Amino acid sequence: MKRNSVVCLMGPTASGKTDVAMRLFDAFDVDLVSVDSALVYRGMDIGTAKPDPQTLHRYPHALVDIRDPEEAYSAGDFVRDATAAIEEILARGRLPVLVGGTMMYYRSLIHGIAELPEADREVRAAIDEEAGRIGWPALHAQLASIDPQAAARINENDSQRIQRALEVFRVSGRALTAWQADTRPPTRFDFLRFALIPEPRAELHARIERRLQGMFDAGFVGEVEGLRDRPGLSAGHSSMRAVGYRQVWSHLDGEYDLAEAEARALAATRQLAKRQLTWLRSENGVESMNPLEVDPVASISTQLVAILEGCKN
């Protein structure tokens, strides 16, 4: 194996990636890098299933708690930060293990990323205000008229991606698809990709439901209440569009009761898992395993040993 090898531990939400990553840390000379668009934010702990401070001290993850929730964090930011973390780990003769489920981050790191215009808070606020008046499906229709290819890829209720595509066009006058055609070359690492895909699907859904209920029992609503008290934070910030946070914030705004918020968060989490699985199955070179039938650590141990021996030679 090459000295620039990087292991990716992928999978849908609630598939057990973090537990497997910690076992790999115990068994091999590896360091962990988070690939999660919500774990980057400080103060978002319960609703992200973030490991507690004691666990993070025992099993350090790069790119956890590196931003305040008022701050934007893009795929480009991730590629820059992850590349730096990977290079630092490799320089110490250890093996980087990327763990998480933000597939856009993996795509950007592995396949390359377009140099998009920076976020514009005023433009985003205007788009949010418009969405409040006419709804996201209507804005999706607007997107279809200016960038039909992007609209075809984006669900009409995917507010975050619709907003970003419209923002790029309104800031630059150029469609997102045109920007993405000018993709920066990918990083020059040798990625070995493993995906945890629990089957049958009903078991994954049951895991998602149990974990989400545990979040609410642990004080998820109180966590969002505390975030709402931050003077610079609003429902329009990217951090608060995360699954679960968006639904609880709307509940606290009085849009629906807590039971409805829980039901909507569950539905949104299942939809997220479906999108993650669709992406994983569309990717070539990903070795999938069912953690309900095999031990993932045992399944990849031989390959990790070979990689680490290669790093030493």
Side-chain angles (χ1 to χ4, degrees):
M1 289 290 181
K2 301 176 182 178
R3 291 174 181 267
N4 65 341
S5 295
V6 177
V7 172
C8 300
L9 186 57
M10 315 159 97
T13 185
S15 58
K17 299 181 293 296
T18 299
D19 288 342
V20 172
M22 292 190 297
R23 290 178 58 202
L24 291 175
F25 185 92
D26 284 336
F28 299 97
D29 291 333
V30 306
D31 286 326
L32 308 178
V33 180
S34 172
V35 186
D36 190 298
S37 60
L39 290 185
V40 300
Y41 292 112
R42 292 182 280 267
M44 294 174 60
D45 303 326
I46 297 173
T48 62
K50 185 181 295 177
D52 61 46
Q54 293 77 17
T55 301
L56 286 174
H57 179 74
R58 173 69 181 86
Y59 301 97
H61 289 56
L63 309 191
V64 171
D65 289 340
I66 59 172
R67 288 287 192 279
D68 288 326
E70 295 86 354
E71 299 176 274
Y73 193 76
S74 68
D77 293 328
F78 169 78
V79 171
R80 180 198 64 229
D81 293 343
T83 299
I86 290 168
E87 290 175 344
E88 190 273 334
I89 293 167
L90 290 171
R92 291 189 287 106
R94 293 174 66 85
L95 177 65
V97 173
L98 276 57
V99 53
T102 299
M103 301 308 168
M104 178 176 63
Y105 285 3
Y106 282 117
R107 180 187 297 116
S108 300
L109 182 66
I110 294 169
H111 299 301
I113 186 172
E115 294 279 5
L116 298 178
E118 293 186 2
D120 187 306
R121 182 167 295 183
E122 290 185 1
V123 172
R124 288 193 171 191
I127 294 171
D128 280 338
E129 188 277 332
E130 193 172 350
R133 289 188 289 105
I134 65 175
W136 287 106
L139 288 180
H140 184 271
Q142 286 186 23
L143 177 62
S145 69
I146 60 174
D147 190 349
Q149 290 175 280
R153 298 191 304 268
I154 300 173
N155 184 279
E156 67 174 12
N157 291 308
D158 191 338
S159 60
Q160 188 168 357
R161 295 180 70 198
I162 294 170
Q163 181 197 55
R164 180 56 174 154
L166 288 173
E167 176 193 30
V168 166
F169 180 76
R170 293 182 184 184
V171 167
S172 68
R174 190 181 185 208
L176 176 64
T177 300
W179 280 97
Q180 291 174 332
D182 299 327
T183 300
R184 188 170 65 201
T187 51
R188 297 185 180 277
F189 300 117
D190 182 34
F191 293 99
L192 186 65
R193 294 176 288 169
F194 300 96
L196 306 184
I197 301 182
E199 296 287 358
R201 186 73 58 83
E203 176 56 31
L204 177 60
H205 287 176
R207 286 185 175 199
I208 289 170
E209 186 168 3
R210 287 194 298 270
R211 188 170 76 165
L212 186 63
Q213 187 57 58
M215 291 174 181
F216 280 100
D217 292 344
F220 186 19
V221 174
E223 178 174 86
V224 179
E225 286 176 331
L227 290 165
R228 282 165 59 90
D229 289 338
R230 298 173 70 106
L233 189 62
S234 72
H237 282 85
S238 296
S239 60
M240 292 300 102
R241 293 180 184 273
V243 168
Y245 287 88
R246 180 170 55 215
Q247 290 76 24
V248 173
W249 191 294
S250 294
H251 157 64
L252 293 171
D253 274 346
E255 294 184 23
Y256 36 73
D257 63 20
L258 181 57
E260 179 69 13
E262 293 178 359
R264 289 182 180 230
L266 178 59
T269 308
R270 286 176 173 172
Q271 290 168 0
L272 169 63
K274 182 178 180 180
R275 292 194 299 271
Q276 291 168 319
L277 288 167
T278 298
W279 185 87
L280 286 167
R281 288 174 173 141
S282 71
E283 281 288 292
N284 295 322
V286 177
E287 182 176 337
S288 299
M289 59 192 72
N290 183 354
L292 303 180
E293 294 182 350
V294 301
D295 179 2
V297 174
S299 296
I300 65 178
S301 287
T302 301
Q303 296 181 65
L304 293 193
V305 168
I307 294 173
L308 290 166
E309 286 299 318
C311 290
K312 293 176 181 177
N313 295 330

mmCIF file of all heavy atoms in Angstrom, residues 100-141:
data_model
loop_
_atom_site.group_PDB
_atom_site.id
_atom_site.type_symbol
_atom_site.label_atom_id
_atom_site.label_comp_id
_atom_site.label_asym_id
_atom_site.label_seq_id
_atom_site.Cartn_x
_atom_site.Cartn_y
_atom_site.Cartn_z
ATOM 1 N N GLY A 100 -17.442 9.411 9.092
ATOM 2 C CA GLY A 100 -18.596 10.296 9.083
ATOM 3 C C GLY A 100 -19.503 10.020 7.896
ATOM 4 O O GLY A 100 -19.208 9.166 7.060
ATOM 5 N N GLY A 101 -20.590 10.784 7.836
ATOM 6 C CA GLY A 101 -21.600 10.509 6.824
ATOM 7 C C GLY A 101 -21.963 11.671 5.935
ATOM 8 O O GLY A 101 -22.995 11.616 5.256
ATOM 9 N N THR A 102 -21.142 12.738 5.913
ATOM 10 C CA THR A 102 -21.449 13.860 5.023
ATOM 11 C C THR A 102 -20.850 13.551 3.656
ATOM 12 O O THR A 102 -19.670 13.798 3.401
ATOM 13 C CB THR A 102 -20.910 15.185 5.584
ATOM 14 O OG1 THR A 102 -21.539 15.427 6.855
ATOM 15 C CG2 THR A 102 -21.236 16.346 4.653
ATOM 16 N N MET A 103 -21.691 13.008 2.784
ATOM 17 C CA MET A 103 -21.207 12.489 1.515
ATOM 18 C C MET A 103 -20.683 13.594 0.605
ATOM 19 O O MET A 103 -19.768 13.371 -0.193
ATOM 20 C CB MET A 103 -22.318 11.693 0.827
ATOM 21 C CG MET A 103 -22.838 10.524 1.656
ATOM 22 S SD MET A 103 -21.504 9.425 2.236
ATOM 23 C CE MET A 103 -22.379 8.423 3.436
ATOM 24 N N MET A 104 -21.236 14.794 0.704
ATOM 25 C CA MET A 104 -20.741 15.903 -0.103
ATOM 26 C C MET A 104 -19.280 16.192 0.237
ATOM 27 O O MET A 104 -18.485 16.537 -0.644
ATOM 28 C CB MET A 104 -21.588 17.150 0.124
ATOM 29 C CG MET A 104 -21.122 18.372 -0.647
ATOM 30 S SD MET A 104 -22.206 19.784 -0.438
ATOM 31 C CE MET A 104 -22.045 20.090 1.333
ATOM 32 N N TYR A 105 -18.908 16.053 1.492
ATOM 33 C CA TYR A 105 -17.520 16.274 1.893
ATOM 34 C C TYR A 105 -16.606 15.210 1.276
ATOM 35 O O TYR A 105 -15.515 15.517 0.764
ATOM 36 C CB TYR A 105 -17.386 16.248 3.410
ATOM 37 C CG TYR A 105 -17.896 17.478 4.124
ATOM 38 C CD1 TYR A 105 -18.495 18.528 3.437
ATOM 39 C CD2 TYR A 105 -17.776 17.598 5.513
ATOM 40 C CE1 TYR A 105 -18.941 19.655 4.105
ATOM 41 C CE2 TYR A 105 -18.216 18.721 6.188
ATOM 42 C CZ TYR A 105 -18.805 19.747 5.475
ATOM 43 O OH TYR A 105 -19.255 20.859 6.145
ATOM 44 N N TYR A 106 -17.027 13.944 1.349
ATOM 45 C CA TYR A 106 -16.241 12.885 0.724
ATOM 46 C C TYR A 106 -16.092 13.144 -0.775
ATOM 47 O O TYR A 106 -15.011 13.021 -1.335
ATOM 48 C CB TYR A 106 -16.915 11.528 0.930
ATOM 49 C CG TYR A 106 -16.737 10.919 2.289
ATOM 50 C CD1 TYR A 106 -17.838 10.682 3.115
ATOM 51 C CD2 TYR A 106 -15.473 10.542 2.759
ATOM 52 C CE1 TYR A 106 -17.697 10.103 4.365
ATOM 53 C CE2 TYR A 106 -15.322 9.962 4.009
ATOM 54 C CZ TYR A 106 -16.434 9.738 4.806
ATOM 55 O OH TYR A 106 -16.283 9.168 6.043
ATOM 56 N N ARG A 107 -17.197 13.487 -1.423
ATOM 57 C CA ARG A 107 -17.163 13.722 -2.863
ATOM 58 C C ARG A 107 -16.168 14.829 -3.211
ATOM 59 O O ARG A 107 -15.378 14.706 -4.150
ATOM 60 C CB ARG A 107 -18.559 14.093 -3.373
ATOM 61 C CG ARG A 107 -18.615 14.346 -4.879
ATOM 62 C CD ARG A 107 -19.976 14.869 -5.318
ATOM 63 N NE ARG A 107 -21.032 13.898 -5.071
ATOM 64 C CZ ARG A 107 -22.041 14.091 -4.228
ATOM 65 N NH1 ARG A 107 -22.143 15.216 -3.551
ATOM 66 N NH2 ARG A 107 -22.966 13.170 -4.086
ATOM 67 N N SER A 108 -16.217 15.894 -2.444
ATOM 68 C CA SER A 108 -15.337 17.033 -2.717
ATOM 69 C C SER A 108 -13.873 16.674 -2.502
ATOM 70 O O SER A 108 -13.003 17.090 -3.272
ATOM 71 C CB SER A 108 -15.726 18.213 -1.819
ATOM 72 O OG SER A 108 -17.065 18.618 -2.060
ATOM 73 N N LEU A 109 -13.598 15.907 -1.466
ATOM 74 C CA LEU A 109 -12.218 15.536 -1.158
ATOM 75 C C LEU A 109 -11.671 14.540 -2.167
ATOM 76 O O LEU A 109 -10.521 14.641 -2.605
ATOM 77 C CB LEU A 109 -12.142 14.955 0.258
ATOM 78 C CG LEU A 109 -10.754 14.558 0.761
ATOM 79 C CD1 LEU A 109 -9.862 15.785 0.920
ATOM 80 C CD2 LEU A 109 -10.868 13.807 2.091
ATOM 81 N N ILE A 110 -12.491 13.574 -2.546
ATOM 82 C CA ILE A 110 -12.025 12.473 -3.386
ATOM 83 C C ILE A 110 -12.043 12.835 -4.869
ATOM 84 O O ILE A 110 -11.124 12.513 -5.617
ATOM 85 C CB ILE A 110 -12.876 11.212 -3.122
ATOM 86 C CG1 ILE A 110 -12.652 10.716 -1.680
ATOM 87 C CG2 ILE A 110 -12.534 10.102 -4.121
ATOM 88 C CD1 ILE A 110 -13.630 9.653 -1.238
ATOM 89 N N HIS A 111 -13.091 13.530 -5.294
ATOM 90 C CA HIS A 111 -13.275 13.787 -6.727
ATOM 91 C C HIS A 111 -12.927 15.213 -7.145
ATOM 92 O O HIS A 111 -12.909 15.515 -8.334
ATOM 93 C CB HIS A 111 -14.727 13.493 -7.120
ATOM 94 C CG HIS A 111 -15.136 12.076 -6.876
ATOM 95 N ND1 HIS A 111 -14.499 11.004 -7.466
ATOM 96 C CD2 HIS A 111 -16.115 11.544 -6.095
ATOM 97 C CE1 HIS A 111 -15.073 9.878 -7.062
ATOM 98 N NE2 HIS A 111 -16.045 10.172 -6.232
ATOM 99 N N GLY A 112 -12.691 16.083 -6.184
ATOM 100 C CA GLY A 112 -12.400 17.472 -6.514
ATOM 101 C C GLY A 112 -13.594 18.369 -6.272
ATOM 102 O O GLY A 112 -14.721 17.905 -6.098
ATOM 103 N N ILE A 113 -13.344 19.668 -6.251
ATOM 104 C CA ILE A 113 -14.391 20.612 -5.879
ATOM 105 C C ILE A 113 -14.262 21.879 -6.721
ATOM 106 O O ILE A 113 -13.150 22.307 -7.079
ATOM 107 C CB ILE A 113 -14.299 20.957 -4.374
ATOM 108 C CG1 ILE A 113 -15.469 21.830 -3.943
ATOM 109 C CG2 ILE A 113 -12.959 21.585 -4.032
ATOM 110 C CD1 ILE A 113 -15.539 22.031 -2.444
ATOM 111 N N ALA A 114 -15.391 22.463 -7.034
ATOM 112 C CA ALA A 114 -15.407 23.715 -7.779
ATOM 113 C C ALA A 114 -15.111 24.878 -6.835
ATOM 114 O O ALA A 114 -15.459 24.846 -5.652
ATOM 115 C CB ALA A 114 -16.764 23.916 -8.438
ATOM 116 N N GLU A 115 -14.485 25.898 -7.362
ATOM 117 C CA GLU A 115 -14.208 27.118 -6.603
ATOM 118 C C GLU A 115 -15.444 28.014 -6.673
ATOM 119 O O GLU A 115 -15.585 28.816 -7.604
ATOM 120 C CB GLU A 115 -12.985 27.840 -7.167
ATOM 121 C CG GLU A 115 -11.686 27.071 -7.012
ATOM 122 C CD GLU A 115 -11.081 27.219 -5.621
ATOM 123 O OE1 GLU A 115 -11.739 27.844 -4.755
ATOM 124 O OE2 GLU A 115 -9.970 26.723 -5.402
ATOM 125 N N LEU A 116 -16.353 27.881 -5.719
ATOM 126 C CA LEU A 116 -17.606 28.628 -5.744
ATOM 127 C C LEU A 116 -17.457 29.983 -5.052
ATOM 128 O O LEU A 116 -16.582 30.162 -4.204
ATOM 129 C CB LEU A 116 -18.703 27.819 -5.046
ATOM 130 C CG LEU A 116 -19.053 26.469 -5.659
ATOM 131 C CD1 LEU A 116 -20.124 25.782 -4.819
ATOM 132 C CD2 LEU A 116 -19.516 26.617 -7.088
ATOM 133 N N PRO A 117 -18.345 30.931 -5.375
ATOM 134 C CA PRO A 117 -18.342 32.204 -4.651
ATOM 135 C C PRO A 117 -18.596 31.988 -3.166
ATOM 136 O O PRO A 117 -19.288 31.040 -2.771
ATOM 137 C CB PRO A 117 -19.503 32.980 -5.298
ATOM 138 C CG PRO A 117 -19.734 32.322 -6.607
ATOM 139 C CD PRO A 117 -19.362 30.886 -6.435
ATOM 140 N N GLU A 118 -18.037 32.868 -2.342
ATOM 141 C CA GLU A 118 -18.251 32.760 -0.902
ATOM 142 C C GLU A 118 -19.699 33.073 -0.546
ATOM 143 O O GLU A 118 -20.417 33.739 -1.298
ATOM 144 C CB GLU A 118 -17.316 33.714 -0.161
ATOM 145 C CG GLU A 118 -15.843 33.336 -0.269
ATOM 146 C CD GLU A 118 -14.972 34.214 0.602
ATOM 147 O OE1 GLU A 118 -15.524 35.075 1.315
ATOM 148 O OE2 GLU A 118 -13.739 34.043 0.551
ATOM 149 N N ALA A 119 -20.125 32.587 0.614
ATOM 150 C CA ALA A 119 -21.484 32.837 1.078
ATOM 151 C C ALA A 119 -21.703 34.331 1.288
ATOM 152 O O ALA A 119 -20.806 35.057 1.709
ATOM 153 C CB ALA A 119 -21.740 32.078 2.380
ATOM 154 N N ASP A 120 -22.915 34.758 1.002
ATOM 155 C CA ASP A 120 -23.309 36.153 1.174
ATOM 156 C C ASP A 120 -24.529 36.175 2.093
ATOM 157 O O ASP A 120 -25.616 35.758 1.705
ATOM 158 C CB ASP A 120 -23.642 36.782 -0.180
ATOM 159 C CG ASP A 120 -23.902 38.278 -0.081
ATOM 160 O OD1 ASP A 120 -24.765 38.676 0.730
ATOM 161 O OD2 ASP A 120 -23.258 39.039 -0.834
ATOM 162 N N ARG A 121 -24.323 36.656 3.325
ATOM 163 C CA ARG A 121 -25.386 36.591 4.327
ATOM 164 C C ARG A 121 -26.624 37.372 3.907
ATOM 165 O O ARG A 121 -27.752 36.939 4.127
ATOM 166 C CB ARG A 121 -24.865 37.104 5.674
ATOM 167 C CG ARG A 121 -25.901 37.017 6.792
ATOM 168 C CD ARG A 121 -25.279 37.234 8.147
ATOM 169 N NE ARG A 121 -24.338 36.171 8.479
ATOM 170 C CZ ARG A 121 -23.692 36.095 9.636
ATOM 171 N NH1 ARG A 121 -23.867 37.024 10.556
ATOM 172 N NH2 ARG A 121 -22.870 35.099 9.881
ATOM 173 N N GLU A 122 -26.448 38.528 3.270
ATOM 174 C CA GLU A 122 -27.606 39.326 2.865
ATOM 175 C C GLU A 122 -28.407 38.626 1.778
ATOM 176 O O GLU A 122 -29.646 38.634 1.808
ATOM 177 C CB GLU A 122 -27.145 40.701 2.375
ATOM 178 C CG GLU A 122 -26.596 41.598 3.492
ATOM 179 C CD GLU A 122 -26.273 42.992 2.986
ATOM 180 O OE1 GLU A 122 -26.496 43.264 1.786
ATOM 181 O OE2 GLU A 122 -25.795 43.810 3.803
ATOM 182 N N VAL A 123 -27.723 38.018 0.832
ATOM 183 C CA VAL A 123 -28.422 37.287 -0.223
ATOM 184 C C VAL A 123 -29.163 36.094 0.372
ATOM 185 O O VAL A 123 -30.319 35.820 0.021
ATOM 186 C CB VAL A 123 -27.438 36.841 -1.317
ATOM 187 C CG1 VAL A 123 -28.114 35.909 -2.318
ATOM 188 C CG2 VAL A 123 -26.860 38.053 -2.037
ATOM 189 N N ARG A 124 -28.529 35.397 1.289
ATOM 190 C CA ARG A 124 -29.187 34.250 1.925
ATOM 191 C C ARG A 124 -30.422 34.692 2.701
ATOM 192 O O ARG A 124 -31.461 34.023 2.669
ATOM 193 C CB ARG A 124 -28.212 33.532 2.859
ATOM 194 C CG ARG A 124 -27.145 32.769 2.124
ATOM 195 C CD ARG A 124 -26.387 31.833 3.043
ATOM 196 N NE ARG A 124 -25.523 30.966 2.264
ATOM 197 C CZ ARG A 124 -24.885 29.903 2.764
ATOM 198 N NH1 ARG A 124 -25.035 29.588 4.033
ATOM 199 N NH2 ARG A 124 -24.130 29.157 1.991
ATOM 200 N N ALA A 125 -30.307 35.800 3.400
ATOM 201 C CA ALA A 125 -31.458 36.298 4.163
ATOM 202 C C ALA A 125 -32.611 36.647 3.229
ATOM 203 O O ALA A 125 -33.780 36.386 3.545
ATOM 204 C CB ALA A 125 -31.049 37.513 4.997
ATOM 205 N N ALA A 126 -32.291 37.226 2.083
ATOM 206 C CA ALA A 126 -33.336 37.573 1.125
ATOM 207 C C ALA A 126 -34.010 36.323 0.566
ATOM 208 O O ALA A 126 -35.239 36.286 0.389
ATOM 209 C CB ALA A 126 -32.738 38.404 -0.011
ATOM 210 N N ILE A 127 -33.221 35.287 0.315
ATOM 211 C CA ILE A 127 -33.786 34.024 -0.176
ATOM 212 C C ILE A 127 -34.671 33.393 0.888
ATOM 213 O O ILE A 127 -35.763 32.894 0.603
ATOM 214 C CB ILE A 127 -32.658 33.070 -0.604
ATOM 215 C CG1 ILE A 127 -31.918 33.641 -1.819
ATOM 216 C CG2 ILE A 127 -33.215 31.684 -0.926
ATOM 217 C CD1 ILE A 127 -30.652 32.876 -2.183
ATOM 218 N N ASP A 128 -34.213 33.424 2.142
ATOM 219 C CA ASP A 128 -35.029 32.880 3.233
ATOM 220 C C ASP A 128 -36.352 33.639 3.362
ATOM 221 O O ASP A 128 -37.410 33.032 3.585
ATOM 222 C CB ASP A 128 -34.259 32.964 4.564
ATOM 223 C CG ASP A 128 -33.254 31.833 4.718
ATOM 224 O OD1 ASP A 128 -33.433 30.799 4.061
ATOM 225 O OD2 ASP A 128 -32.301 31.990 5.495
ATOM 226 N N GLU A 129 -36.287 34.951 3.251
ATOM 227 C CA GLU A 129 -37.512 35.749 3.354
ATOM 228 C C GLU A 129 -38.480 35.393 2.230
ATOM 229 O O GLU A 129 -39.687 35.255 2.448
ATOM 230 C CB GLU A 129 -37.149 37.237 3.302
ATOM 231 C CG GLU A 129 -38.309 38.185 3.581
ATOM 232 C CD GLU A 129 -39.155 38.451 2.357
ATOM 233 O OE1 GLU A 129 -38.611 38.382 1.227
ATOM 234 O OE2 GLU A 129 -40.373 38.712 2.500
ATOM 235 N N GLU A 130 -37.940 35.210 1.042
ATOM 236 C CA GLU A 130 -38.767 34.838 -0.094
ATOM 237 C C GLU A 130 -39.375 33.451 0.103
ATOM 238 O O GLU A 130 -40.545 33.210 -0.219
ATOM 239 C CB GLU A 130 -37.923 34.883 -1.372
ATOM 240 C CG GLU A 130 -38.725 34.810 -2.648
ATOM 241 C CD GLU A 130 -37.867 35.040 -3.877
ATOM 242 O OE1 GLU A 130 -36.695 35.447 -3.725
ATOM 243 O OE2 GLU A 130 -38.381 34.822 -4.989
ATOM 244 N N ALA A 131 -38.564 32.528 0.635
ATOM 245 C CA ALA A 131 -39.073 31.180 0.902
ATOM 246 C C ALA A 131 -40.204 31.208 1.918
ATOM 247 O O ALA A 131 -41.166 30.443 1.824
ATOM 248 C CB ALA A 131 -37.945 30.286 1.396
ATOM 249 N N GLY A 132 -40.091 32.108 2.906
ATOM 250 C CA GLY A 132 -41.157 32.237 3.896
ATOM 251 C C GLY A 132 -42.459 32.700 3.284
ATOM 252 O O GLY A 132 -43.545 32.361 3.784
ATOM 253 N N ARG A 133 -42.376 33.458 2.196
ATOM 254 C CA ARG A 133 -43.594 33.967 1.546
ATOM 255 C C ARG A 133 -44.181 32.987 0.539
ATOM 256 O O ARG A 133 -45.391 32.801 0.490
ATOM 257 C CB ARG A 133 -43.287 35.292 0.842
ATOM 258 C CG ARG A 133 -43.054 36.466 1.785
ATOM 259 C CD ARG A 133 -42.959 37.777 1.018
ATOM 260 N NE ARG A 133 -41.721 37.880 0.252
ATOM 261 C CZ ARG A 133 -41.626 37.744 -1.066
ATOM 262 N NH1 ARG A 133 -42.721 37.476 -1.795
ATOM 263 N NH2 ARG A 133 -40.456 37.862 -1.676
ATOM 264 N N ILE A 134 -43.314 32.352 -0.262
ATOM 265 C CA ILE A 134 -43.845 31.542 -1.367
ATOM 266 C C ILE A 134 -43.499 30.063 -1.263
ATOM 267 O O ILE A 134 -44.041 29.252 -2.020
ATOM 268 C CB ILE A 134 -43.366 32.093 -2.725
ATOM 269 C CG1 ILE A 134 -41.840 31.976 -2.872
ATOM 270 C CG2 ILE A 134 -43.812 33.551 -2.890
ATOM 271 C CD1 ILE A 134 -41.326 32.403 -4.239
ATOM 272 N N GLY A 135 -42.605 29.704 -0.340
ATOM 273 C CA GLY A 135 -42.264 28.300 -0.140
ATOM 274 C C GLY A 135 -41.071 27.850 -0.966
ATOM 275 O O GLY A 135 -40.770 28.410 -2.028
ATOM 276 N N TRP A 136 -40.375 26.820 -0.464
ATOM 277 C CA TRP A 136 -39.184 26.308 -1.142
ATOM 278 C C TRP A 136 -39.495 25.651 -2.488
ATOM 279 O O TRP A 136 -38.691 25.767 -3.425
ATOM 280 C CB TRP A 136 -38.425 25.347 -0.234
ATOM 281 C CG TRP A 136 -37.721 26.059 0.877
ATOM 282 C CD1 TRP A 136 -38.075 26.094 2.191
ATOM 283 C CD2 TRP A 136 -36.560 26.900 0.754
ATOM 284 N NE1 TRP A 136 -37.203 26.897 2.901
ATOM 285 C CE2 TRP A 136 -36.268 27.393 2.047
ATOM 286 C CE3 TRP A 136 -35.737 27.281 -0.314
ATOM 287 C CZ2 TRP A 136 -35.187 28.247 2.289
ATOM 288 C CZ3 TRP A 136 -34.668 28.125 -0.071
ATOM 289 C CH2 TRP A 136 -34.396 28.598 1.209
ATOM 290 N N PRO A 137 -40.631 24.964 -2.654
ATOM 291 C CA PRO A 137 -40.929 24.427 -3.990
ATOM 292 C C PRO A 137 -40.989 25.511 -5.064
ATOM 293 O O PRO A 137 -40.550 25.291 -6.207
ATOM 294 C CB PRO A 137 -42.284 23.735 -3.796
ATOM 295 C CG PRO A 137 -42.276 23.316 -2.356
ATOM 296 C CD PRO A 137 -41.591 24.448 -1.647
ATOM 297 N N ALA A 138 -41.508 26.694 -4.717
ATOM 298 C CA ALA A 138 -41.551 27.788 -5.689
ATOM 299 C C ALA A 138 -40.141 28.276 -6.019
ATOM 300 O O ALA A 138 -39.836 28.601 -7.176
ATOM 301 C CB ALA A 138 -42.396 28.934 -5.147
ATOM 302 N N LEU A 139 -39.271 28.318 -5.020
ATOM 303 C CA LEU A 139 -37.893 28.709 -5.283
ATOM 304 C C LEU A 139 -37.175 27.628 -6.095
ATOM 305 O O LEU A 139 -36.304 27.932 -6.922
ATOM 306 C CB LEU A 139 -37.151 28.973 -3.971
ATOM 307 C CG LEU A 139 -37.550 30.259 -3.238
ATOM 308 C CD1 LEU A 139 -36.754 30.406 -1.953
ATOM 309 C CD2 LEU A 139 -37.335 31.480 -4.118
ATOM 310 N N HIS A 140 -37.553 26.377 -5.864
ATOM 311 C CA HIS A 140 -36.999 25.291 -6.681
ATOM 312 C C HIS A 140 -37.398 25.484 -8.145
ATOM 313 O O HIS A 140 -36.590 25.247 -9.060
ATOM 314 C CB HIS A 140 -37.491 23.936 -6.158
ATOM 315 C CG HIS A 140 -36.900 22.763 -6.862
ATOM 316 N ND1 HIS A 140 -37.464 22.213 -8.002
ATOM 317 C CD2 HIS A 140 -35.774 22.026 -6.600
ATOM 318 C CE1 HIS A 140 -36.725 21.185 -8.394
ATOM 319 N NE2 HIS A 140 -35.697 21.047 -7.570
ATOM 320 N N ALA A 141 -38.613 25.945 -8.364
ATOM 321 C CA ALA A 141 -39.049 26.227 -9.736
ATOM 322 C C ALA A 141 -38.228 27.362 -10.351
ATOM 323 O O ALA A 141 -37.883 27.320 -11.538
ATOM 324 C CB ALA A 141 -40.537 26.570 -9.748
#
